[in-house]
Amino acid sequence: MIRARAGEPTVGRMPEFLAESYTPRLAPAPAAGDVALAAEAASGPQGLVRFLGAVTVAEEETCFWLYQAPSAGAVRAAMTAAGLCPERITQAVVLRPPAPAPGRPGTCPGRPHRAARPAPPTGPP
């Protein structure tokens, strides 16, 4: 992302796409590295298509593929180059958890750290 002097973005993020493909239960899954290399090769010298990950739902015989690319057509070309057959490609909004605050693993930035509650008293009052 390119930022102006005031810190405001001047160019937006490249869109992300969720692709769906049929994946038979007994079929071997393609290696993530192979899919990433195919995306890189299909996107040409500009490297506009990035494979971000996938989720397989074996019971549904479905795999969901996440890409960052300029268009659904670019995703289809990358998937085809990897030997995949997308049934549907849709622009998606991906929600990611915030990064932990510096020095406090697992805490959300902008939220105060909550101290642990004291243990309830034991014994008679």
Side-chain angles (χ1 to χ4, degrees):
M1 188 173 313
I2 300 171
R3 296 192 176 273
R5 291 183 190 199
E8 294 297 318
T10 58
V11 176
R13 283 183 55 111
M14 184 158 319
E16 293 175 340
F17 292 87
L18 188 67
E20 181 180 347
S21 67
Y22 169 72
T23 307
R25 288 178 206 238
L26 301 177
D34 294 342
V35 174
L37 288 173
E40 185 179 317
S43 66
Q46 291 109 357
L48 297 176
V49 179
R50 285 186 48 218
F51 170 64
L52 302 177
V55 175
T56 299
V57 184
E59 184 143 331
E60 298 293 326
E61 296 186 319
T62 302
C63 189
F64 296 98
W65 307 86
L66 185 61
Y67 285 86
Q68 189 175 51
S71 68
V75 171
R76 185 172 302 281
M79 292 184 75
T80 301
L84 302 170
C85 300
E87 293 179 25
R88 182 170 47 174
I89 301 172
T90 308
Q91 189 167 348
V93 175
V94 179
L95 305 175
R96 293 180 174 84
R104 293 189 181 235
T107 60
C108 295
R111 284 190 154 178
H113 179 72
R114 292 184 184 175
R117 292 184 181 171
T122 57

